[in-house]
Amino acid sequence: MAVIVALGAFLMTLAGGWTAQRVTDRRHLVLGLAGGLMLGVVGLDLLPESLRAAGREVFGVPLALLLFVAGFLIAHVVERVLAVRQAAHGAENGGRVPEVGLTAAAAMVGHSFADGVALGVAFQVGGGMGAAVSLAVITHDFADGFNTYTLTRLYGNARRKAVMMLLADAVAPVLGAASTLLFTLPEEPLGAYLGFFGGALLYLAAAEILPEAHHKHPALSTLMCTVGGVAGIWLVVGLAD
């Protein structure tokens, strides 16, 4: 059952990527929505789940929050290192480093795989839990596909690479769900990963996506897309609960 539901997530991921491709003439709105979706996923989905799953503390601080901060810092360090290397070779791409976009997209693929694993584990717990997680995974995989394509293209990568990353992101939850037929993943490591990934995703949303969205088009419509993205994820999380 988990694998069948994951096939729905596969289709929703592709739908999200297709939507991101079709609105290139409203790029600022796309980026505003993507930033809102990413912020909503981090603050309303990933971080609460990681705090619940990886609840133990390390020197007075929850492990999930430590890894959240570590993910944010590492994303910043990686971007700066790649930017310095790119500048040293005299390459110019509007300040964007293609490798950063590919790294971010790869992290989205890893997150989608974890979604599939969570889906499989939920069905191992019971049908009710499986149904709730299914709703959350299938709906927010639309946002994952949207963000994967947008992130890859934002950093100057070719459309072909963006499509390849989108396909990988779509297949990932199916593979993750199938993997739970072979083993059971402990809850704490999954929560720790979600915290780390949430920090990296927040950095990309706050430091890259949203500033880019408002740089040339500081319009109210862009801001409303961002707020709408957060509200949409809130609705998904609320319905899943």
Side-chain angles (χ1 to χ4, degrees), residues 26-191:
R26 294 289 185 270
R27 184 169 178 269
H28 59 291
L29 299 179
V30 172
L31 294 175
L33 178 61
L37 291 171
M38 292 167 72
L39 178 59
V41 167
V42 171
L44 306 179
D45 187 11
L46 293 181
L47 193 55
E49 178 63 23
S50 65
L51 286 169
R52 183 194 63 79
R56 69 183 180 90
E57 294 188 352
V58 178
F59 204 63
V61 179
L63 174 63
L65 289 182
L66 283 176
L67 290 173
F68 178 81
V69 173
F72 189 99
L73 289 175
I74 288 176
H76 177 59
V77 169
V78 168
E79 185 191 36
R80 290 298 88 205
V81 168
L82 291 175
V84 169
R85 180 185 301 177
Q86 193 85 345
H89 286 81
E92 296 184 0
N93 188 33
R96 303 291 175 187
V97 183
E99 290 84 355
V100 173
L102 291 176
T103 301
M108 295 295 293
V109 174
H111 168 56
S112 293
F113 182 86
D115 275 349
V117 172
L119 189 60
V121 170
F123 274 102
Q124 291 177 4
V125 173
M129 176 67 72
V133 174
S134 296
L135 177 62
V137 168
I138 289 178
T139 308
H140 96 251
D141 270 4
F142 178 87
D144 283 352
F146 190 98
N147 290 336
T148 297
Y149 185 87
T150 301
L151 281 170
T152 309
R153 291 289 283 153
L154 175 64
Y155 283 85
N157 290 285
R159 180 179 179 276
R160 178 179 59 84
K161 290 185 178 180
V163 171
M164 289 177 60
M165 296 306 298
L166 175 63
L167 290 174
D169 190 45
V171 172
V174 180
L175 297 179
S179 71
T180 61
L181 301 175
L182 305 176
F183 64 89
T184 301
L185 183 68
E187 187 177 44
E188 186 171 323
L190 179 59

Side-chain angles (χ1 to χ4, degrees), residues 197-208:
F197 174 70
L201 199 61
L202 180 63
Y203 174 80
L204 292 172
E208 298 295 331

